[in-house]
Structure formats: C-alpha cells, structure tokens
Amino acid sequence: MTALDLSSPVAVVGTGTMGQGIAQVALVAGHPVRLYDTVPGRARKAAEAIGARLDRLVEKDRLTGPDRDAARARLLPAESLAELADCALVVEAVLERLDVKQELFRDLEGIVSDDCLLATNTSSLSVTAIGGALRAPGRFVGLHFFNPAPLLPLVEVVSGFATDVTHATRAYETARAWGKTPVACADTPGFIVNRIARPFYAEAFAVYEAQGADPATIDAVLRESGGFRMGAFELTDLIGQDVNESVTQSVWRSFFQDVRFTPSLAQRRLVESGRLGRKTGHGWYDHGDGAKRPDPDTAERRQPPAYVVVEGDMGPAAELLALIREAGIPVRDEDDDEEQGACLVLPSGGRLLLADGQTAVECPDFVYFDLALDYRRATRIALSASQDTSAQTLAEATGLFQALGKQVSFIGDVPGMIVARTVARIIDLAYDAVAKGVATEEDIDTAMRLGVNYPLGPFEWSRRLGRTWAYVLLDDLHRRDPSGRYAPSLALYRHAHAPDPREGSAS
C-alpha cells in the first residue's frame, strides 16, 4: 500500500508543541492540514505559531516564499471535530491519559470515513489499549514522532494487536513520504527507543547510588569514552526528571515490575524535591544564573610505566597496543604475539584488564579500565581498583593512559564499570526485543541512532565487540548481583553460544 496522496487532508488533534510539530511536517510535505483543539481559540493560535516558523524557514533559505504562502493557505484551524470529516489521516497528540484518548477516537470514528487512518502519537500508553475502544481497530496505529518533530527524522510506526498490516504499511509509507525515517515495531512498552534506552539512564544512576562516582564524572566517561553525545545526568536534566522518570515507571509497570526496568530511588528523590532539571533551575546539576558545572574527577599526572607485557587476547581493547607503541612505551609479549592480549602486566606486577563484570577486590593488584567506543579517539578513560591495589600499580596504570593522551577518572570498584555495563545491557535488551518480535535488528539500530543519537546501534556494537562479549560480562555481573537485573536474556544466550557463521561449519 502506498503513502497518502498529497491532496488528502491530514488532521492533527491537540495543538501543543508536539501537535504543532506534526502539523508542520505534514504541511511542508504538501498536505492540506486541519488543526483542532478542545480549548477554544488554541487551534488558531497554533496556526499562527506554525506560520511564524515557516517565516523563519524562509529566512534560513530552507523554504521558498511561494512554498510558504502555499503552505499557509493549506493550514486551517477547525472549530469542531465535525470539520475533520473528510480527512484521510487524523493524528492525535493530546493528554497522555488512556480514557481521554479513547473517548477522542470513539468520537472521531463516528465522524470520519471508514478508510480514514487513525493514529496516536503516544509515547507511553498501549496502542492496543487505545485502539481497543474502537469498532474498527484495524485502521488504528501509533505514529510516535520525536520532539522537535520537524527536525528529528525518526518515527516509530507501532502496530497494535488488532492493527491491519495494510494500514500500518500506509502509515509507514506516509511517514517516509514526509521525509522521515520510519521504523516498524510491535506494540510493546516503550516501543523501541524508550524500551531499549532504559539502561543508559539506569546504569548511570546505579553507579551513582553505589557511590561509584559523582554525576559529572559518570557523564564525562559516557561522553568521552563511550561516545555518547550527552551523559545520563545532563540528558535527564534536559528532558526533565519528571518526564524521564515517568517513562521509566510506565515501562516498569507495563512489564509487571520486571527488575531489569526498576526505576532509580535517587531520581525519585530528585523529583519529589522538585528538582526537575533545567526547567526548574536545578536537577542533578545547578542550572541557575552563573552556576558552574562541576568538573569530573581527574587523576593527577603520573609517570608512564617503563614497559608493559601482553598476555592473552584483549579483544575489544586490542587497539590499545598500537597506541602504547606509538607513545614510545615498549610492549613485550612472551608469546611473541604482537597483535592482541587479554591483560597488560605492569612493571609493578599489577595487571590492567578490560571491564568484564567482575570486581577488582577478587584479584590481587588488579586495575580495570572501561570500554571505549574508539580507544584512539577517546579523551577519557575510567579506571577501577580495590582498596588493596598497590599505589605503584595505580600510578603506572594512570601514567600509561595519560601517556596515550587520555584524562583518567578513578571510580569505585563497580563491576562492569560505566560504559561496559551500559552497552552490554543495551545489547541484551535489543536481542530480547528481536526475539520477541518487537522489531528487526536493522530497525532497532536505526531507531537508537536517530531517536537518541547513540554512536552505534546495539547490533552494530555487538558485532564490533564480539558474539560473546555482552553475554560474558552480564553473566559475571549476574553472579555478583543475583537480583535478576543483569541476568542475560535467553536470546543473548543463544546468540553467544550459536556457531559463528564466519567460521564455517566443522566437518
């Protein structure tokens, strides 16, 4: 089924920020657009606001004057739902309450034609439950835009339990015709992005609650080592702590309080205190006038070790060997293997290992280092050690990474550290989602890159890190925290233990 014809009128019900954004997208694409809001006069004011934004697009040479004038002529405020009778698509962007949305669509069903596509922009409610109030739920879909809708390309096209595939396809093709990047997903709590993104926030908050590091340090490690555009604390301050926690609570409750989605008590206290982020002037950080962002914990300069010895296979951290050699530090390899190693032995006898889900206190004189998206480009590395790690080993480990041009942040003896445990959990939820028919691997990677600006999609990360990496790390974490929060999914277990197709079959 093809996209809606541009001559077909599109209606948007609800004229807040999201409603106006969706209306602008449909309008610029070429559709006649009707705006409706239950509050008298609000639709007209929304039309004026959209017109002003079109003027700014002309000023920025993103829209021609004639195209703006034509778009304005196609934009009509509606005084009643009855004026939407001839629309081919109605998108709802009203209050996030199930009863309100159900009542709206019941009313619309008695007004629009039988082939009109009905869509909700809900981000937290069940598409199936909203559509369950309709006589013909087959034409009901979710069209989840991301704010600001005119700028962000991703649209999650959500099929409820009763949604007909032909209508879902039409919604998908229409979103693509509007210049968006649609991804198809089943109706699951959080859809794709809000389901799979939960560990990004949850693990940062968990490290903080365990007194492993302060917010500024955790954010710096996520940005400068993990390659994320923003850290979890600064991002939730931008989103709003109440909004972010509400999504987390919704996903957790919808999954019958699954421990993998457990909300953060520290964030709950922040919300209860009214510190909601930038909009209130204070969240995890102080956003008041003149306030200065705290600096991340950064180690003092230390001398690099005279040499390092490589043992075994370092896998995802193999690139460090080339960086160490380029820094002029001799790399010795007792096995005469100059390519990879499992750990680096320092002159003190201490060992440097990539975070693996274990704790430093379990082994004498160990220092763990965190995962990096790209060790060459990373500007900060987190290290973790126990109270029994020798001062000489700590100094040599610090000096080694500093010699590679990295800032060093020490965190507590937290298994899986920061980036590693976060990425492993994101990968696990992604494999679980595919196994349960939520979406394809390709659509999940696209959604996470475009919806929340992750540097890699979960499956891209998994291929880079190796088939068993996430499973082994989470299994080790689960042994140390048997609550179930880190228990690898059956889907990840199967992936880790399946034969690697690149290795061929044994004869």
Side-chain angles (χ1 to χ4, degrees), residues 113-127:
S113 64
D114 291 343
D115 60 353
C116 175
L117 190 62
L118 299 177
T120 175
N121 183 60
T122 185
S123 61
S124 61
L125 299 176
S126 165
V127 172

Side-chain angles (χ1 to χ4, degrees), residues 150 163 168 181 301 417 460 474:
T163 302
T181 302
R301 296 295 303 181
M417 302 191 71
E460 293 172 316
L474 290 176

Side-chain angles (χ1 to χ4, degrees), residues 174-413:
T174 297
R176 184 157 63 178
W178 290 358
K180 296 302 180 181
T181 302
V183 292
C185 66
D187 184 22
T188 184
F191 308 142
I192 298 175
V193 172
N194 281 328
R195 171 179 176 151
I196 296 174
R198 293 349 290 163
F200 178 75
Y201 312 107
E203 294 312 307
F205 298 161
V207 172
Y208 168 76
E209 289 175 335
Q211 300 186 56
D214 61 275
T217 300
I218 295 169
D219 278 353
V221 171
L222 286 168
R223 288 193 315 269
E224 300 173 39
S225 183
F228 292 95
R229 185 166 297 183
M230 299 180 73
F233 296 89
E234 58 190 341
L235 180 55
T236 52
D237 265 4
L238 175 63
I239 296 169
Q241 298 303 330
D242 52 340
V243 174
N244 181 260
E245 195 216 20
S246 176
V247 173
T248 300
Q249 291 276 359
S250 175
V251 172
W252 177 60
R253 288 193 300 268
S254 297
F255 276 114
F256 308 105
Q257 300 185 357
D258 186 330
V259 69
R260 295 176 301 166
F261 302 101
T262 301
S264 161
L265 181 59
Q267 188 180 39
R268 176 91 292 263
R269 293 291 179 258
L270 206 64
V271 173
E272 289 174 339
S273 70
R275 294 188 168 189
L276 307 182
R278 292 189 183 183
K279 61 187 177 183
T280 61
H282 209 303
W284 296 110
Y285 299 108
D286 184 353
H287 299 279
D289 293 340
K292 184 180 180 297
R293 178 74 63 88
D295 295 324
D297 175 80
T298 303
E300 296 181 0
R301 296 295 303 181
R302 294 288 186 264
Q303 289 295 315
Y307 63 88
V308 296
V309 178
V310 185
E311 290 185 353
D313 181 346
M314 281 191 71
E319 187 180 20
L320 282 175
L321 300 181
L323 298 179
I324 293 170
R325 292 188 178 98
E326 291 169 15
I329 300 172
V331 178
R332 302 177 184 177
D333 192 331
E334 295 177 351
D335 298 325
D336 197 30
D337 177 3
E338 297 189 358
E339 294 301 320
Q340 296 184 337
C343 72
L344 300 176
V345 184
L346 301 166
S348 65
R351 281 171 158 73
L352 263 172
L353 297 90
L354 175 62
D356 59 7
Q358 301 184 51
T359 59
V361 74
E362 298 173 52
C363 304
D365 225 19
F366 271 36
V367 175
Y368 278 106
F369 62 92
D370 207 351
L371 180 69
L373 173 69
D374 183 333
Y375 282 102
R376 183 171 294 277
R377 296 184 179 180
T379 57
R380 183 176 299 272
I381 293 293
L383 301 183
S384 175
S386 77
Q387 60 185 8
D388 298 322
T389 304
S390 72
Q392 183 63 25
T393 293
L394 293 175
E396 290 175 350
T398 302
L400 175 64
F401 282 102
Q402 289 173 338
L404 307 185
K406 319 299 181 189
Q407 300 270 35
V408 173
S409 292
F410 271 93
I411 69 170
D413 188 11

